Amino acid sequence: MDAFFSVFQLNVLIPWLLAMVLGIFVGGIPGLTATMAVALIVPLTYHMQPVAGLAMIIGVSFTSIFAGDIPATFLRVPGTPASGAAVLDGYQMNLKGQGSLAVTLDLICSTIGGTIGILMLILVAPTLSRFALKFTHFEYFWLGVLGLSMSAIISKGSRLKGSISMIIGVLISTIGIDVTTGYPRFAKGNIQLMGGIEFIPIMIGLFGISEVFRSIYTMQNMKVPVFNEEIKVSFKSLGKILNRNKRLIAQSSVIGTLIGALPGAGADIAAWVSYGLAKRTSKKPDDFGNGSEEGVIAPTSANNAAIGGTWIPALVFGIPGDTITAIVLGAMMMYGLKPGPLVFEGERFLVNQIFSVGLVSQVFLLVLGYLGIKSFSLIFKFPRNVILAGIMIFSMVGSYAIRNNIFDVGVVLVFGIVGFAMERAAMPLAPLILGRILGPMIEENLRIGLIKTSGSFAAFLNRPISFTLFLILVVMFLWDPIKKIVVTARARAKKQ
Amino acid sequence: MKKTFNQEHIIGIICISIGTVVLSLTRSFPGGTGAINISGPAFFPNILSMILIGLGVLQILNGIFGKEEDIASAAAIWKGMKSAEFVNLLIMTALFIFFILAVEFLGFITTSAIFLAAVNWRLGIRLVRNLIYTAVFIIIIYLVFSIIFKVTLPRGIIF
């Protein structure tokens, strides 16, 4: 309990809260990521006590990942990569006049997801870490393929078009220097292309700028505010929604934590996989993509839960789960701490402080997140034409800021046009993003796995976890035909 | 059976074209003569382009044998596009390109000011408001990106 109360000292509390407020703005501005905020914060923590620095980092992670869902819901521009999946139904809810409900649902689910992630970190960190470390190239390959298979599920409309969009996304991920051989692929001597095409500008272009183009193209409702509702929280209706989706919240939070615990797979992959699984297990899968509350609940619970997950391998083994925990590990060493199994023995008090910070951050997230929604909703009361101009300039500067590279602004434009054209041809956009995110993971693990086995694919199937992942994949593909057969057989039996 | 040229055909042709271009480009990769060389840089793109070509063929077949109600005509892509609206899109694209080309020469502040003022004007914002919004956006962006996040925004001949 001492550890719990110690985090409420003013010299911890004040920087922690300030960092969380910063996180709201970082998450809400496209192009600024939680990693950038953490990188900005770390130098400020040199002279602080370790718990204050770690509280700032944990706090900013939670608020920025949540706040990324705010522009995703109101403007169809994901504030952070982890909010890509939240765009799909959040924005549709906003178009239906349920934007207020969508963001408050986001906030509550982010808080619940974050709490479950931290509780799992507290309760099962060593067990989960041991499990996560059993993942080798073979398992990561299947995990990536499993993630890709979600594209068929998340596609609105034709699955064939969804698969095409996904393969194009994976192909885009092969542009640039090949990590295995160092050969520059499809670069044609262009230094910018050698560095590959970042997925954040692709995402901003496909979702955000294509939407700007669509609005400019129609030039309708230009003087009307983007968001004209009052942010109201009806605890009764929220309670009802949460109650009927409690299984989904738990499912998405657990999946989010598990995926977060896998080094290299972060909150963005967690959100997409949870969204796909939610659609797969939903009684109303056709509502997904049309403003389904389940489509909002699943990714927003998972992306915040993944934050707790990323801390599991970081604390237990000193292996970063994502870019943020990679910076955290560096910071911990700077504080004179050695992350790894011994940290639970030698630094038990600090570990308990970290757990306390994680849990208390959820309460702060609820309050600050609500204030963040209120503030952003005021900005979105400006007429659409003003907001459109703002989205354009923020998207451009935000994309530039990722690598200080004007090439990325060009990527935003190209994918804005591609997204606009794809939507006119009823091609789903989300699988392209998923393909771009998962492509490198699949390629790298497939090739290294094959090199290890001298070209034999057997090792991808004869290991327990990889075989289980393969089986899940098969079941997912056969789910619909089997369901159809069962339904037809039942109907026949009833008739007879 | 549909004989008219439809959207499925266009998408199918684009897929086959992309797949073919990728396959022809990977021929120049070291050891990139086929999908057999597992350690070669062409291995994965070759597999993907073959899948894409396959999907393209399926898409074309879908355009021929698919259900009539599921298939949109090729003209539907351009349906409802009026020339004035199309001009709007072209102007916005041109402004984007202007920003990309000019920002490293004119600097972030000058280029953004020109870009924003032109976008605002095109979106129907009146002169005084246009100038105010332009100034406010630039100040916010400069504060957030340059001052707080230490992003080095391009500095040109003026700013």
Side-chain angles (χ1 to χ4, degrees):
Chain A
M1 285 310 269
D2 286 349
F4 180 79
F5 288 113
S6 69
V7 302
F8 293 101
Q9 301 166 57
L10 280 183
N11 55 0
V12 178
L13 205 55
I14 291 171
W16 179 11
L17 284 171
L18 285 175
M20 289 189 81
V21 172
L22 175 76
I24 297 279
F25 288 97
V26 167
I29 297 173
L32 291 182
T33 61
T35 313
M36 281 170 82
V38 171
L40 175 84
I41 281 172
V42 168
L44 305 177
T45 65
Y46 283 141
H47 304 292
M48 289 181 187
Q49 46 175 320
V51 66
L54 292 169
M56 287 176 83
I57 294 166
I58 293 171
V60 84
S61 309
F62 280 111
T63 44
S64 56
I65 298 278
F66 155 69
D69 299 341
I70 301 175
T73 304
F74 291 129
L75 306 173
R76 211 176 85 142
V77 186
T80 65
S83 305
V87 164
L88 306 176
D89 283 276
Y91 185 66
Q92 290 299 325
M93 280 184 82
N94 183 40
L95 291 183
K96 285 180 182 175
Q98 296 177 319
S100 171
L101 176 64
V103 279
T104 41
L105 205 52
D106 265 0
L107 177 61
I108 308 266
C109 292
S110 296
T111 311
I112 299 173
T115 309
I116 293 176
I118 294 291
L119 285 176
M120 283 180 76
L121 168 69
I122 297 170
L123 301 173
V124 287
T127 321
L128 257 183
S129 282
R130 273 194 294 276
F131 175 72
L133 286 185
K134 282 186 182 155
F135 273 62
T136 62
H137 297 291
F138 309 111
E139 285 78 19
Y140 272 109
F141 167 73
W142 285 119
L143 186 76
V145 177
L146 198 64
L148 270 194
S149 71
M150 296 297 161
S151 66
I153 300 167
I154 61 177
S155 299
K156 206 169 139 186
S158 158
R159 287 193 173 184
L160 184 57
K161 285 181 181 172
S163 305
I164 290 171
S165 174
M166 176 261 286
I167 292 290
I168 292 173
V170 184
L171 256 178
I172 290 167
S173 77
T174 64
I175 297 172
I177 293 192
D178 171 29
V179 281
T180 316
T181 60
Y183 183 80
R185 295 185 294 198
F186 311 114
K188 292 280 168 199
N190 184 317
I191 294 170
Q192 315 289 357
L193 282 174
M194 280 183 200
I197 300 183
E198 280 282 327
F199 76 89
I200 297 177
I202 296 179
M203 199 164 70
I204 292 175
L206 277 184
F207 287 123
I209 297 301
S210 73
E211 184 65 14
V212 170
F213 282 163
R214 205 156 63 101
S215 301
I216 287 170
Y217 164 68
T218 55
M219 285 297 262
Q220 280 175 355
N221 302 327
M222 280 295 162
K223 305 274 160 89
V224 176
V226 169
F227 177 73
N228 212 6
E229 294 175 53
E230 279 301 310
I231 297 288
K232 277 185 200 157
V233 184
S234 161
F235 289 104
K236 203 176 165 187
S237 59
L238 264 179
K240 272 184 190 169
I241 294 172
L242 294 174
N243 189 39
R244 67 172 171 259
N245 290 294
K246 52 185 182 284
R247 189 193 56 81
L248 178 64
I249 298 171
Q251 170 190 305
S252 306
S253 305
V254 172
I255 291 167
T257 315
L258 292 177
I259 293 178
L262 297 171
D268 44 357
I269 296 178
W272 285 110
V273 171
S274 298
Y275 183 89
L277 276 178
K279 188 174 177 185
R280 171 58 88 206
T281 53
S282 170
K283 285 178 185 161
K284 294 183 249 172
D286 294 336
D287 288 357
F288 278 69
N290 297 315
S292 153
E293 61 193 34
E294 290 173 274
V296 171
I297 289 168
T300 52
S301 307
N303 59 14
N304 267 44
I307 299 172
T310 57
W311 278 78
I312 293 173
L315 271 186
V316 181
F317 291 110
I319 298 170
D322 64 353
T323 45
I324 295 174
T325 40
I327 302 173
V328 169
L329 290 179
M332 285 177 88
M333 286 175 200
M334 186 181 81
Y335 303 141
L337 305 168
K338 280 185 187 162
L342 292 179
V343 83
F344 284 88
E345 302 301 324
E347 301 292 343
R348 185 76 234 180
F349 188 76
L350 178 73
V351 171
N352 286 339
Q353 281 182 317
I354 293 173
F355 292 161
S356 308
V357 162
L359 287 176
V360 178
S361 288
Q362 307 311 315
V363 181
F364 291 162
L365 171 63
L366 211 53
V367 179
L368 295 173
Y370 182 71
L371 295 175
I373 293 172
K374 281 266 188 192
S375 321
F376 276 101
S377 71
L378 290 178
I379 296 171
F380 300 145
K381 289 210 188 305
F382 276 94
R384 179 172 289 273
N385 50 7
V386 178
I387 296 292
L388 287 177
I391 296 175
M392 284 177 90
I393 195 74
F394 271 95
S395 299
M396 289 156 83
V397 182
S399 308
Y400 173 83
I402 298 164
R403 300 192 289 189
N404 272 18
N405 196 337
I406 200 70
F407 174 78
D408 288 333
V409 183
V411 173
V412 169
L413 171 65
V414 169
F415 282 91
I417 296 168
V418 168
F420 179 74
M422 279 175 74
E423 286 202 310
R424 290 206 62 93
M427 291 272 289
L429 304 176
L432 195 149
I433 301 284
L434 200 60
R436 170 60 190 85
I437 293 173
L438 293 170
M441 185 188 192
I442 293 172
E443 180 183 12
E444 197 184 325
N445 291 298
L446 172 67
R447 282 173 65 193
I448 295 176
L450 285 174
I451 290 167
K452 269 184 179 172
T453 59
S454 309
S456 163
F457 201 74
F460 284 88
L461 294 168
N462 62 17
R463 295 166 56 87
I465 301 174
S466 59
F467 186 68
T468 312
L469 289 169
F470 169 72
L471 273 185
I472 294 171
L473 192 70
V474 172
V475 170
M476 282 182 65
F477 267 99
L478 294 178
W479 185 270
D480 278 341
I482 291 172
K483 213 165 124 184
K484 238 182 194 174
I485 292 167
V486 171
V487 170
T488 323
R490 270 188 192 165
R492 269 187 200 161
K494 262 188 184 175
K495 269 186 186 175
Q496 281 169 0
Chain B
M1 185 169 154
K2 277 157 276 303
K3 292 205 167 67
T4 50
F5 191 61
N6 56 47
Q7 260 186 39
E8 313 294 298
H9 295 137
I10 297 178
I11 296 168
I13 290 167
I14 292 173
C15 290
I16 294 170
S17 311
I18 295 174
T20 313
V21 168
V22 171
L23 278 178
S24 67
L25 286 173
T26 56
R27 286 174 71 86
S28 62
F29 289 6
T33 46
I36 308 139
N37 182 0
I38 52 164
S39 56
F43 170 66
F44 198 56
N46 278 350
I47 294 177
L48 294 172
S49 45
M50 285 177 212
I51 297 173
L52 192 62
I53 291 172
L55 292 173
V57 172
L58 284 177
Q59 190 70 23
I60 291 175
L61 290 175
N62 192 37
I64 300 169
F65 300 108
K67 286 179 192 165
E68 189 93 46
E69 63 268 24
D70 293 343
I71 292 164
S73 71
I77 295 179
W78 293 276
K79 197 179 169 187
M81 269 207 184
K82 291 172 193 160
S83 55
E85 291 155 351
F86 193 67
V87 166
N88 264 340
L89 275 185
L90 285 181
I91 291 174
M92 289 301 162
T93 308
L95 285 171
F96 238 109
I97 294 170
F98 160 76
F99 183 92
I100 293 165
L101 296 178
V103 74
E104 286 186 334
F105 175 66
L106 294 177
F108 166 75
I109 293 177
T110 316
T111 317
S112 300
I114 298 170
F115 174 83
L116 272 172
V119 168
N120 286 340
W121 162 73
R122 198 63 209 170
L123 293 175
I125 298 172
R126 289 185 184 182
L127 184 65
V128 178
R129 284 190 176 201
N130 183 342
L131 294 176
I132 294 170
Y133 289 142
T134 301
V136 169
F137 275 134
I138 289 174
I139 291 168
I140 293 173
I141 287 173
Y142 190 77
L143 278 176
V144 172
F145 286 90
S146 192
I147 306 291
I148 300 175
F149 283 93
K150 310 283 178 213
V151 174
T152 318
L153 295 171
R155 294 185 71 157
I157 48 167
I158 308 172
F159 291 109

